[in-house]
Every structure is written in structure tokens, then in C-alpha cells.
Amino acid sequence: MDYQHNLAQEFLEFVEQQPRQSLQQLLSRVLQKSRLLTGAEAGTIFIIRRKRGGAYLQAVNAQNDRIHVNAADFEVPVSNKTISGYVAATGETVILDDVYGIGAGKPYSFNPANEAKNYKSVTMLCFPLKNYTNHVIGVVQLINRIGPDKQPIPFDPHMAAIVAPVARVVGASIERTDMMDQIRLKNKVLQNRNRQLAEQRGHIVNLQEQTEGAFLLSVGLLARAAEIHDEGTGNHIVRTNEYSYFIARHLGMPKQFCDEIHYSAQLHDVGKMSVDQAVLKKKGRLDDAERAEMDRHTTYGHQILCDSPRLQLAAEIALSHHEKWAGTGYPNGLGGKDIPISARIVQVADIYDALRSERPYKAGFSHEQATDIILHGDDRLDPREHFDPQLIELFADLHLGFARIWDELKDPPATAAS
Ligand SMILES: [Fe+2]
Ligand SMILES: [Fe+2]
């Protein structure tokens, strides 16, 4: 039940985060989020369109952690013959443990022609996106839930029960965005819709969810507050959460750990709140004493966070995210597996994002450059000194997932008014 609440809450929050986003952006984020929450390696999201000849599904976005796929470019008729067509036609959710072994009793079959090159689909969760009047407006098809040994495992049937109410809310939002794209709805209408959405939400949340929401909100605000004096870091903290969650999941960490790091990673630099402001804001080189004060953001962060039972992981991350694998980091000079795995994960996330980010004194690196530095180092960073080798290996396999998180959550250009 808890899981269901959190999931619904999370989806609602993220759908509402950017009410002005385009349909394309929203669908890509819905797909991304659905994959993160269910552990699916790949997926496609479809929207129903109507032509003279009848309804069809237009694939609007496709994603795959393992291979490069085109954003999406094909159509499927709404009919019982294909899996997604069946889901669109009936509004039912379909879970398959082997798409190539569908029983003879089913009207649909898997069409290998739609399979990406050099990729094999095994398990599938396919669910409809419905609007508030219960009409199917799209379909999400998730492929290959990845298990701890990196092989596809079946989607859990209770995931289907969880996505149903969530898909409703997301579907309504997609419909809203689609309308905006198509007929340029005025702001007023949008605000009305948002109010309705908020009201709807008010009906379905209970006190416990509100408490959970308030907790997550406070944690997010704390992280934001801490970076207020930092150089323009924008969405850095949000992205750090996502990369860390992505790594933890692919590492096969327990679900509770993954959920916790998902909101804890953003607090890694929270101790900067306590650093002497003169040091924090100083533009030039820091002398030894100033450097030592700056480095204490790790222990300060731990002090701020360690009292809360739900922030133990965050406290651990804050304390140890500047330790290095070789034992040459601070504050405690821990090395290897003495450094908590949470901190080792956040370190990779933090550094990838720092490399990509533009700062007053440097342009941002491309994904290729950042990947090259993390894998092979440069004059400032030696990956063998810094990182857990297991995580470098994982990064080498899954670096495209990092690029996608960056692309989806990157900061708007500095010139844009906000
Ligand atoms: Fe830090
Ligand atoms: Fe950071």
C-alpha cells in the first residue's frame, strides 16, 4: 500500500512539475518514469490518433538502456491482433512473461518486425493511459524488467494494479497537453485543469500520503536551500537523485535502498549551509584554513541530517561523498568498500553532472567528453583513484542512461526568463 501511495504521489508531482512542457517532452518523461519505477530496460509510448480509416496508435517515444533506438516512428492499428492494439482496444493491461511464447488462446501475437535491431524482448507490461472519462488515449509498453543478475524477469502482477490509477492521472495530463499542442489552449483553461487535478488529488490522498509528500517536499526544499549560495547549480540536485537511483537499481540494490537514495542523494552538499559564508562565497583560491573549512561541509552535513531516522542514508552520503576509493579523500580517508556504497554511487552521479554542467569558469562537457573522463581520466581526475571499479564498469555499460537523464532534466538556457 505504501509503495502504491508513493508511486501515485511521485507521478502526480512529476506530471505537475512542468505544466507547460510539450506533449513530446511529457510522453518521454512518462515513459522514463514508468521504466524507472518498474525496472524496465526498454519501452515505447503510444498515443491514439484518428484517421478516416479508423483509430491507430502512433509511437511517440521509444527508449532502451542497452541499445540506441530512434525516438519512435511507427504506427500500429487499434485492433486485437497486436499486443498494444489489444490494450488500446480493450483498455485491459497485459503482462507477458515471454512475448515469443504467447498462448494460442490469445487474439494477439508479438510482431517481431517491430523489434529493434540486435535486441530481444522477453517480458512485457503493457498498460493503457485513460482520460477521466475512461477512454483509452494511449498505451505504455514496457519491455524486459531487469533483475539482479541483469537478465529479464517477469513484471510483478501487482505493478499492473499500481499503474492503473496512476495511468488515469497521467493519461488525463497527456490529454491536456495534447490539446494544448493542437489547439493552443489559453492559460486560463490550463489553470482550471490544474485546479481540477489538484482537487482530484485532494480526494484520493489520505493523511499518510500527505505526510509522505510533506516529508519529500521538505527534503527537496532543504536541498534547494543549501545550494542557494552555491554557483548556479539549477537542477543539479534533482539530476543527482535520478542518476543515483538509476545506478542503484542497475546494481540490483534492495528496493528500500533505491527508494531512499532517490531522495537522499540531493542532500549530499547540504552541509554547505553551515560553511563560513565568507569562505563559501570567496571567488579566488582558498588558503589551507579556508579549504579545511570548505571540506567540513561533509561533517556539517552529517550533523544536520543524522538525527532523523529517515535520513540516515542521506547523512552517510553527506559524510562520505568526498572519500576516494584509494583512501585519499576526506574527511576520514576511508578507502575501498569501507566507503558506504551509497556515497560511492552519489560520487559517480555528482561528478558526471559536474562535468556536464556549465559553470562561471568553464563550459559544460559533452556526454562523450564526460564519459571519457570518468572512464579514462584527465589531468584532474584519476578514475582508479576516485571510483569504485565496479561502478566504473557499470557506468561503461549504462552511460546512455546518464545522457538521457541529463537531457530530460537539463537546465533551461540562462537567458530564458523564469
Ligand atoms: Fe560535496
Ligand atoms: Fe554536487
Side-chain angles (χ1 to χ4, degrees), residues 230 236 267-272 294-295 297-298 317-318 321-322 330 350:
D230 227 340
H236 167 65
L267 293 165
H268 60 280
D269 272 340
V270 84
K272 286 191 178 168
M294 187 62 122
D295 290 355
H297 79 272
T298 51
I317 291 167
H321 71 284
H322 287 287
Y330 62 89
D350 193 25

Side-chain angles (χ1 to χ4, degrees), residues 278-331:
V279 174
L280 201 59
K281 288 184 190 161
K282 184 170 171 182
K283 291 272 183 269
R285 252 185 88 85
L286 301 180
D287 67 27
D288 287 353
E290 290 164 340
R291 172 49 56 195
E293 168 64 7
M294 187 62 122
D295 290 355
R296 279 197 284 276
H297 79 272
T298 51
T299 47
Y300 293 150
H302 185 263
Q303 283 162 15
I304 291 170
L305 301 168
C306 69
D307 288 337
S308 162
R310 292 204 53 192
L311 294 175
Q312 290 306 302
L313 197 75
E316 172 181 290
I317 291 167
L319 183 65
S320 300
H321 71 284
H322 287 287
E323 300 288 3
K324 295 179 185 171
W325 186 255
T328 48
Y330 62 89

Side-chain angles (χ1 to χ4, degrees), residues 28-339:
S28 129
R29 294 178 67 226
V30 168
L31 179 58
Q32 164 76 355
K33 198 74 182 175
S34 305
R35 289 174 51 238
L36 276 171
L37 291 168
T38 55
E41 187 177 56
T44 306
I45 189 164
F46 301 84
I47 282 290
I48 292 191
R49 301 284 185 205
R50 284 169 215 288
K51 282 198 275 211
R52 284 258 166 83
Y56 67 98
L57 286 166
Q58 183 191 0
V60 186
N61 189 263
Q63 298 171 5
N64 193 314
D65 283 341
R66 193 168 298 272
I67 56 162
H68 176 79
V69 287
N70 288 327
D73 44 13
F74 57 95
E75 294 175 6
V76 179
V78 173
S79 87
N80 285 352
K81 294 212 166 69
T82 64
I83 301 164
S84 50
Y86 177 85
V87 170
T90 62
E92 285 175 36
T93 293
V94 169
I95 297 181
L96 297 168
D97 293 354
D98 178 6
V99 298
Y100 286 89
I102 297 174
K106 303 289 183 196
Y108 48 78
S109 61
F110 181 69
N111 181 3
N114 291 341
E115 189 88 292
K117 242 190 191 164
N118 300 324
Y119 190 76
K120 183 158 186 288
S121 302
V122 182
T123 63
M124 182 183 288
L125 167 61
C126 195
F127 62 89
L129 296 167
K130 294 181 182 175
N131 63 13
Y132 278 128
T133 53
N134 218 23
H135 287 97
V136 179
I137 58 136
V139 169
V140 177
Q141 191 170 48
L142 302 174
I143 309 276
N144 290 356
R145 179 183 180 209
I146 295 303
D149 61 354
K150 301 194 179 173
Q151 295 303 312
I153 56 170
F155 288 90
D156 200 330
H158 84 255
M159 281 176 176
I162 290 168
V163 296
V166 171
R168 179 75 48 90
V169 176
V170 174
S173 180
I174 286 170
E175 193 188 35
R176 177 185 74 195
T177 310
D178 196 14
M179 272 193 254
M180 277 182 53
D181 277 3
Q182 289 182 28
I183 61 171
R184 298 176 179 276
L185 274 185
K186 295 267 190 292
N187 263 343
K188 229 177 180 178
V189 179
L190 177 65
Q191 281 160 7
N192 267 334
R193 286 279 186 139
N194 270 338
R195 206 174 306 129
Q196 283 170 11
L197 204 61
E199 273 168 26
Q200 192 83 11
R201 180 170 154 184
H203 292 311
I204 58 171
V205 295
N206 62 20
L207 198 61
Q208 186 195 355
E209 282 175 88
Q210 287 173 0
T211 311
E212 180 65 17
F215 169 75
L216 293 175
L217 186 68
S218 314
V219 169
L221 288 174
L222 181 62
R224 278 253 177 259
E227 62 170 8
I228 215 154
H229 295 300
D230 227 340
E231 51 216 8
T233 44
N235 273 339
H236 167 65
I237 53 174
V238 184
R239 291 188 300 264
T240 306
N241 279 346
E242 297 302 329
Y243 305 126
S244 302
Y245 181 63
F246 179 77
I247 300 173
R249 219 169 41 71
H250 282 279
L251 214 52
M253 297 301 286
K255 176 174 155 19
Q256 195 191 346
F257 179 95
C258 296
D259 290 346
E260 278 188 40
I261 203 167
H262 204 174
Y263 66 77
S264 300
Q266 63 186 335
L267 293 165
H268 60 280
D269 272 340
V270 84
K272 286 191 178 168
M273 287 172 113
S274 308
V275 169
D276 182 344
Q277 295 294 304
V279 174
L280 201 59
K281 288 184 190 161
K282 184 170 171 182
K283 291 272 183 269
R285 252 185 88 85
L286 301 180
D287 67 27
D288 287 353
E290 290 164 340
R291 172 49 56 195
E293 168 64 7
M294 187 62 122
D295 290 355
R296 279 197 284 276
H297 79 272
T298 51
T299 47
Y300 293 150
H302 185 263
Q303 283 162 15
I304 291 170
L305 301 168
C306 69
D307 288 337
S308 162
R310 292 204 53 192
L311 294 175
Q312 290 306 302
L313 197 75
E316 172 181 290
I317 291 167
L319 183 65
S320 300
H321 71 284
H322 287 287
E323 300 288 3
K324 295 179 185 171
W325 186 255
T328 48
Y330 62 89
N332 294 317
L334 297 181
K337 296 198 167 165
D338 288 344
I339 308 167

